[in-house]
Coordinates of all heavy atoms in Angstrom, one line a residue:
P1 N 97.2 119.9 92.5 CA 96.9 118.5 92.4 C 97.5 117.9 91.1 O 97.7 118.6 90.1 CB 95.3 118.5 92.3 CG 95.0 119.9 91.9 CD 96.1 120.8 92.4
V2 N 97.7 116.6 91.2 CA 98.4 115.9 90.1 C 97.4 114.9 89.5 O 96.7 114.2 90.2 CB 99.7 115.2 90.5 CG1 100.3 114.4 89.4 CG2 100.7 116.3 91.0
S3 N 97.3 114.8 88.2 CA 96.5 113.8 87.5 C 97.2 112.5 87.6 O 98.3 112.3 87.2 CB 96.4 114.2 86.0 OG 95.8 113.2 85.3
V4 N 96.5 111.5 88.2 CA 97.1 110.2 88.4 C 96.2 109.1 87.8 O 95.0 109.1 88.1 CB 97.2 109.9 89.9 CG1 97.7 108.5 90.2 CG2 98.2 110.9 90.6
P5 N 96.8 108.2 86.9 CA 96.0 107.1 86.4 C 95.7 106.1 87.5 O 96.5 105.9 88.4 CB 96.9 106.5 85.4 CG 98.3 106.9 85.7 CD 98.1 108.2 86.5
I6 N 94.5 105.6 87.5 CA 94.0 104.6 88.5 C 93.5 103.4 87.8 O 93.2 103.4 86.7 CB 93.0 105.2 89.5 CG1 91.7 105.6 88.7 CG2 93.6 106.4 90.2 CD1 90.6 106.1 89.6
A7 N 93.3 102.3 88.6 CA 92.8 101.1 88.2 C 91.2 101.1 88.3 O 90.7 101.9 89.1 CB 93.3 99.9 89.0
W8 N 90.5 100.3 87.6 CA 89.1 100.3 87.6 C 88.5 100.1 89.0 O 87.6 100.8 89.4 CB 88.5 99.2 86.7 CG 88.6 99.5 85.2 CD1 89.4 99.0 84.3 CD2 87.8 100.5 84.5 NE1 89.3 99.6 83.1 CE2 88.3 100.5 83.2 CE3 86.9 101.4 84.9 CZ2 87.7 101.3 82.2 CZ3 86.3 102.3 83.9 CH2 86.8 102.2 82.6
D9 N 89.1 99.2 89.8 CA 88.6 99.0 91.1 C 88.8 100.1 92.1 O 88.1 100.2 93.1 CB 89.2 97.7 91.7 CG 90.7 97.8 91.9 OD1 91.4 98.5 91.2 OD2 91.3 97.0 92.7
E10 N 89.7 101.1 91.7 CA 89.8 102.3 92.6 C 88.7 103.3 92.4 O 88.6 104.2 93.2 CB 91.2 102.9 92.3 CG 92.4 102.1 92.6 CD 93.7 102.7 92.3 OE1 94.2 103.5 93.1 OE2 94.2 102.5 91.1
L11 N 87.9 103.1 91.4 CA 86.8 104.0 91.2 C 85.7 103.9 92.4 O 85.0 104.9 92.6 CB 86.1 103.8 89.9 CG 86.9 104.1 88.6 CD1 86.2 103.7 87.4 CD2 87.2 105.6 88.6
D12 N 85.7 102.8 93.1 CA 84.8 102.6 94.2 C 85.3 103.2 95.5 O 84.6 103.2 96.5 CB 84.5 101.2 94.4 CG 83.8 100.6 93.2 OD1 83.0 101.3 92.6 OD2 84.0 99.4 92.9
D13 N 86.5 103.8 95.5 CA 87.1 104.3 96.7 C 86.4 105.6 97.1 O 86.3 106.6 96.4 CB 88.6 104.6 96.5 CG 89.3 105.1 97.7 OD1 88.7 105.5 98.7 OD2 90.6 105.1 97.7
P14 N 85.8 105.6 98.4 CA 85.0 106.8 98.8 C 85.9 108.0 99.0 O 85.4 109.2 99.0 CB 84.4 106.4 100.1 CG 85.2 105.2 100.6 CD 85.8 104.6 99.4
E15 N 87.2 107.8 99.1 CA 88.1 109.0 99.3 C 88.7 109.5 97.9 O 89.4 110.5 97.9 CB 89.3 108.6 100.2 CG 88.9 108.3 101.6 CD 90.1 107.9 102.5 OE1 91.2 108.4 102.2 OE2 89.9 107.2 103.5
L16 N 88.2 108.9 96.8 CA 88.7 109.4 95.5 C 88.2 110.8 95.2 O 87.0 111.0 95.2 CB 88.3 108.4 94.5 CG 88.8 108.6 93.0 CD1 90.3 108.6 93.0 CD2 88.2 107.6 92.1
R17 N 89.1 111.7 94.9 CA 88.8 113.0 94.5 C 89.8 113.5 93.5 O 90.9 112.9 93.4 CB 88.9 114.0 95.7 CG 88.0 113.7 96.9 CD 88.2 114.7 98.0 NE 89.5 115.3 98.2 CZ 90.4 114.7 99.0 NH1 90.2 113.6 99.6 NH2 91.6 115.3 99.1
S18 N 89.4 114.5 92.7 CA 90.3 114.9 91.7 C 91.6 115.6 92.2 O 92.6 115.7 91.6 CB 89.6 115.9 90.7 OG 89.2 117.0 91.4
D19 N 91.5 116.0 93.5 CA 92.7 116.7 94.1 C 93.3 115.8 95.2 O 94.0 116.3 96.1 CB 92.3 118.0 94.7 CG 91.3 117.9 95.8 OD1 90.7 116.8 96.0 OD2 91.0 118.9 96.5
R20 N 93.1 114.5 95.1 CA 93.6 113.5 96.1 C 95.1 113.5 96.2 O 95.7 113.4 97.3 CB 93.1 112.1 95.9 CG 93.5 111.1 96.9 CD 92.8 109.8 96.7 NE 93.2 108.9 97.8 CZ 92.7 107.7 97.8 NH1 91.8 107.3 97.0 NH2 93.1 106.9 98.8
W21 N 95.8 113.6 95.1 CA 97.3 113.6 95.1 C 97.7 114.9 94.6 O 97.1 115.6 93.7 CB 97.8 112.5 94.2 CG 97.4 111.1 94.7 CD1 98.0 110.5 95.8 CD2 96.4 110.3 94.3 NE1 97.4 109.3 96.0 CE2 96.4 109.1 95.1 CE3 95.4 110.4 93.3 CZ2 95.5 108.1 94.9 CZ3 94.5 109.3 93.1 CH2 94.6 108.2 93.9
N22 N 98.9 115.4 95.1 CA 99.4 116.7 94.7 C 101.0 116.5 94.5 O 101.5 115.4 94.7 CB 99.1 117.8 95.7 CG 99.6 117.5 97.1 OD1 100.8 117.2 97.2 ND2 98.7 117.6 98.1
V23 N 101.6 117.6 94.2 CA 103.1 117.5 93.9 C 103.8 117.1 95.1 O 105.0 116.7 95.0 CB 103.6 118.8 93.3 CG1 103.0 119.1 91.9 CG2 103.4 120.0 94.2
G24 N 103.3 117.3 96.3 CA 103.9 116.9 97.6 C 103.9 115.5 97.9 O 104.7 115.0 98.7
D25 N 102.9 114.7 97.4 CA 102.7 113.3 97.8 C 102.6 112.3 96.7 O 102.6 111.1 96.9 CB 101.5 113.2 98.8 CG 100.2 113.6 98.1 OD1 100.1 113.7 96.9 OD2 99.2 113.8 98.9
V26 N 102.6 112.8 95.4 CA 102.5 111.8 94.3 C 103.7 110.8 94.2 O 103.5 109.7 93.9 CB 102.2 112.6 93.0 CG1 103.5 113.2 92.5 CG2 101.7 111.6 92.0
F27 N 104.9 111.3 94.6 CA 106.0 110.4 94.6 C 105.9 109.3 95.6 O 106.4 108.1 95.4 CB 107.3 111.2 94.7 CG 107.6 112.0 93.5 CD1 107.4 113.4 93.6 CD2 107.9 111.5 92.3 CE1 107.6 114.2 92.4 CE2 108.1 112.3 91.1 CZ 108.0 113.6 91.2
E28 N 105.3 109.6 96.8 CA 105.1 108.5 97.8 C 104.1 107.5 97.2 O 104.2 106.3 97.5 CB 104.6 109.2 99.1 CG 105.7 109.9 99.8 CD 106.9 109.0 100.2 OE1 106.7 107.9 100.6 OE2 108.0 109.5 100.0
L29 N 103.1 108.0 96.5 CA 102.1 107.1 95.9 C 102.8 106.1 95.0 O 102.6 104.9 95.0 CB 101.0 107.9 95.2 CG 100.1 107.1 94.3 CD1 99.2 106.2 95.2 CD2 99.3 107.9 93.3
L30 N 103.7 106.7 94.1 CA 104.4 105.8 93.1 C 105.3 104.8 93.8 O 105.6 103.7 93.3 CB 105.1 106.7 92.1 CG 104.3 107.4 91.2 CD1 105.1 108.4 90.3 CD2 103.5 106.5 90.3
K31 N 105.9 105.1 95.0 CA 106.7 104.2 95.7 C 105.9 103.0 96.3 O 106.4 101.9 96.4 CB 107.5 104.9 96.8 CG 108.6 105.8 96.4 CD 109.2 106.5 97.6 CE 110.2 107.5 97.2 NZ 110.8 108.2 98.4
S32 N 104.6 103.3 96.6 CA 103.8 102.3 97.3 C 102.9 101.5 96.4 O 102.3 100.5 96.8 CB 102.9 103.0 98.4 OG 102.0 103.9 97.8
T33 N 102.7 101.9 95.2 CA 101.9 101.2 94.2 C 102.6 101.1 92.9 O 103.6 101.7 92.6 CB 100.6 102.0 93.9 OG1 100.9 103.2 93.4 CG2 99.8 102.2 95.2
S34 N 102.1 100.2 92.1 CA 102.7 100.1 90.7 C 102.1 101.1 89.8 O 100.9 101.4 89.9 CB 102.5 98.6 90.2 OG 101.2 98.3 90.1

C-alpha cells in the first residue's frame, strides 16, 4: 500500500482505508485527480 495525501472531504468516504491505494494503482489515481 502507498501513503496518499487526501482532502478533508475525502475523510467521509466509506471506502477509505489505509491500504486503498498500492504501487499498482497509485499512478492511475494521480492521473485522475490533482
Side-chain angles (χ1 to χ4, degrees):
V2 174
S3 170
V4 175
I6 61 173
W8 284 109
D9 61 336
E10 294 177 88
L11 291 174
D12 295 328
D13 185 343
E15 294 183 25
L16 184 61
R17 300 182 324 272
S18 62
D19 64 349
R20 182 171 182 179
W21 296 282
N22 61 50
V23 295
D25 59 15
V26 73
F27 292 107
E28 287 302 316
L29 170 71
L30 290 173
K31 287 179 188 176
S32 65
T33 62
S34 62

